[in-house]
Amino acid sequence: MKEYFADIPKIKYEGKASKNPLAFRYYDADRIILGKKMSDHLPFAMAWWHNLCAAGTDMFGRDTADKSFGAQKGTMEHAKAKVDAGFEFMQKLGIKYFCFHDVDIVPEAEDINETNRRLDEITDYLLKKMEETGIKCLWGTANMFSNPRFMNGAGSTNSVDVYCFAAAQIKKAIELTVKLGGKGYVFWGGREGYETLLNTDVRFEQENIAALMKMAVEYGRSIGFTGDFYIEPKPKEPMKHQYDFDAATAIGFLRQYGLDKDFKMNIEANHATLAGHTFRHELRISAINGMLGSIDANQGDYLLGWDTDEFPYNVYESTLCMYEVLKAGGLTGGFNFDAKNRRPSNTPEDMFHAYILGMDTFALGLIKAAELIEDGELDEFVEKRYESFKGELGQKIRSGTATLSELAAHAEELGSCKTPDSGRQEYLESIVNRILFG
Ligand code: XUL
Ligand code: CO
């Protein structure tokens, strides 16, 4: 069997003192954290599109990296070379899952029947590799944003033919996800939004998106898909207004159309910050609604207003993310590195450095989040902060048995109200620093 990354050894854990660029310093798969193996806390996944397809093309220049893997691009030979290279990559890093769009794994043909035939062929090939290696599929999805037919949206399109092509792609992508044993199926509404209200019937479009999702759920369940459907919220880019702006908006939409039992959130860090939220805000909103499903683990740039999809290196952020995940009892999905190398990082070694960085960043975040939880001071503070609600009136409010009049009577009896206790934000931030830096 051809080796694609012959110069790269199997990446091992060497500990934090190691200066070996091809070793983990924090990700120690079998280390037990809070009673569970690190690898079980952190089911990492490789994103097919960034890692095996994207080669650095941007609006101003063409590819800088070679992702041909020795084959002619746009051929099934190339699609298979990507499978071989991808599995070697994942095995060398100890990554157990991958995520894919339909058109990441085969070149899309002019005729959808031919694309579907290619998808059948490549998934037979993938399945064999999965059986040989034990690597699994985290989630699948349909790319309903690249092809020009989706320029006005997929579920939100004005064209009934385009709507049917979206339905056909979703149907096939769910079938493939089931065939590969995927845990989840993602809807990222790439073109589900609008540029101007002057040409857009928002209610019509949202109803159509919901109808498409409903049909997807019904079909998925009918062919034995037992996993979660996910919405991946994002506020903008490519569309100016995207319907799934953030977790709260997406959850409201799912409830409005009776889809909330089948769906959870796939939260992407860079999408959260584009929405003007922190990553942990989006995780918390999902978790308190019982909808924290999976994570697209990446990082944005606070100086840039677009989706830079960087590999995460910010340990402060990963710690607070893992704090939310641990508090929520873990994910039903996993941590998909929806991230790409910077354009000038164009060698195969850079691909490994990027994943080592991302995996170590989350491993260290996990270690530190567990320390924060074991330390307990944050929890204690929050618990105490709401103490006044433990009294009789507070309990009535909490149980929904209070009346406005009796609460007003209490205020009137007091006459004036003292300022509540300090929020102690700066002190709490210093606790996080103490745990992080000792
Ligand atoms: C785009 C994005 C997508 C989804 C899957 O910003 O995050 O790659 O994760 O379609
Ligand atoms: Co994503």
Side-chain angles (χ1 to χ4, degrees):
M1 159 96 3
K2 179 172 170 184
E3 209 178 347
Y4 289 85
F5 304 100
D7 299 338
I8 311 281
K10 173 129 181 68
I11 310 299
K12 298 201 187 82
Y13 168 73
E14 289 188 2
K16 65 180 179 186
S18 172
K19 287 197 170 171
N20 177 359
L22 293 172
F24 294 119
R25 280 187 277 280
Y26 303 100
Y27 182 64
D28 182 5
D30 292 332
R31 177 170 164 189
I32 304 290
I33 305 279
L34 298 178
K36 214 162 98 174
K37 277 187 186 177
M38 237 187 198
S39 56
D40 294 333
H41 279 289
L42 297 168
F44 289 127
M46 179 191 76
W48 210 268
W49 52 104
H50 284 312
N51 206 45
L52 303 173
C53 309
T57 288
D58 69 10
M59 247 124 76
F60 303 95
R62 52 184 187 272
D63 287 358
T64 54
D66 179 7
K67 300 263 173 103
S68 67
F69 303 110
Q72 177 73 35
K73 281 194 173 182
T75 63
M76 284 303 281
E77 188 204 351
H78 180 230
K80 286 181 184 159
K82 288 200 294 187
V83 174
D84 294 340
F87 274 69
E88 183 189 328
F89 183 85
M90 289 185 277
Q91 280 184 295
K92 285 193 163 162
L93 282 155
I95 291 177
K96 297 196 183 124
Y97 293 93
F98 64 89
C99 299
F100 71 100
H101 300 82
D102 45 5
V103 301
D104 302 336
I105 55 174
V106 293
E108 193 176 9
E110 197 48 42
D111 184 326
I112 194 169
N113 297 294
E114 170 58 14
T115 307
N116 287 348
R117 193 203 61 72
R118 293 178 188 179
L119 286 167
D120 291 338
E121 185 184 333
I122 203 72
T123 46
D124 285 345
Y125 193 71
L126 263 168
L127 209 49
K128 264 218 305 272
K129 280 276 182 189
M130 292 167 72
E131 277 156 13
E132 273 164 38
T133 60
I135 288 172
K136 300 189 176 87
C137 172
L138 184 65
W139 52 255
T141 188
N143 177 326
M144 303 192 298
F145 43 90
S146 294
N147 192 298
R149 65 176 168 259
F150 296 122
M151 73 175 188
N152 294 337
S156 60
T157 181
N158 58 312
S159 154
V160 78
D161 286 349
V162 171
Y163 195 88
C164 293
F165 269 79
Q169 273 189 250
I170 293 170
K171 176 173 179 284
K172 188 70 184 173
I174 295 176
E175 288 165 3
L176 300 175
T177 303
V178 170
K179 176 173 173 182
L180 300 178
K183 288 217 252 179
Y185 183 86
V186 164
F187 283 87
W188 169 56
R191 305 273 173 195
E192 312 292 34
Y194 65 89
E195 292 296 319
T196 174
L197 280 178
L198 295 176
N199 65 13
T200 304
D201 184 338
V202 173
R203 185 201 298 265
F204 182 93
E205 293 196 356
Q206 293 208 345
E207 285 172 357
N208 278 0
I209 295 170
L212 194 56
M213 287 181 171
K214 214 169 238 162
M215 289 185 265
V217 170
E218 277 164 16
Y219 183 71
R221 299 304 180 216
S222 80
I223 62 164
F225 177 62
T226 54
D228 290 319
F229 289 88
Y230 299 121
I231 283 189
E232 184 178 321
K234 184 176 182 182
K236 57 189 169 188
E237 200 212 15
M239 302 306 268
K240 178 171 167 182
H241 297 275
Q242 295 216 184
Y243 293 135
D244 300 326
F245 187 93
D246 60 0
T249 311
I251 292 167
F253 171 86
L254 291 171
R255 293 212 173 116
Q256 182 179 355
Y257 292 104
L259 290 157
D260 48 308
K261 300 285 173 289
D262 292 283
F263 274 81
K264 290 192 166 67
M265 294 295 114
N266 180 39
I267 297 297
E268 178 163 325
N270 202 170
H271 295 180
T273 49
L274 287 177
H277 298 308
T278 56
F279 182 21
R280 69 178 302 212
H281 168 89
E282 289 293 85
L283 298 172
R284 179 73 65 94
I285 295 297
S286 306
I288 62 172
N289 284 287
M291 288 199 202
L292 179 55
S294 205
I295 284 178
D296 270 11
N298 65 9
Q299 181 180 309
D301 186 316
Y302 290 110
L303 300 182
L304 303 175
W306 61 90
D307 198 14
T308 58
D309 283 344
E310 292 171 42
F311 277 88
Y313 61 77
N314 187 328
V315 176
Y316 200 96
E317 289 295 328
S318 68
T319 299
L320 296 178
C321 160
M322 291 313 299
Y323 189 77
E324 296 302 320
V325 170
L326 289 174
K327 288 272 183 189
L331 301 175
T332 49
F335 295 80
N336 167 46
F337 285 110
D338 192 354
K340 59 185 179 224
N341 283 99
R342 296 306 84 195
R343 191 165 182 266
S345 303
N346 61 345
T347 70
E349 292 92 294
D350 289 306
M351 292 164 68
F352 281 87
H353 291 165
Y355 270 78
I356 292 168
L357 171 69
M359 291 164 79
D360 264 347
T361 298
F362 271 87
L364 186 50
L366 168 65
I367 294 167
K368 293 296 170 186
E371 285 179 28
L372 268 175
I373 288 173
E374 279 168 340
D375 175 82
E377 214 179 325
L378 291 179
D379 269 345
E380 257 170 55
F381 186 87
V382 174
E383 176 72 23
K384 208 157 174 290
R385 188 155 180 254
Y386 297 93
E387 214 167 39
S388 70
F389 277 81
K390 290 203 172 123
E392 197 190 333
L393 266 184
Q395 285 305 300
K396 277 187 148 179
I397 295 169
R398 299 292 295 154
S399 60
T401 54
T403 66
L404 207 58
S405 304
E406 70 180 314
L407 302 186
H410 176 69
E412 284 154 15
E413 197 186 314
L414 288 176
S416 63
C417 189
K418 69 177 173 53
T419 311
D421 292 339
S422 163
R424 298 256 185 269
Q425 181 172 336
E426 296 77 4
Y427 172 63
L428 299 173
E429 286 164 346
S430 81
I431 296 177
V432 178
N433 278 358
R434 168 169 64 75
I435 297 288
L436 279 174
F437 305 109

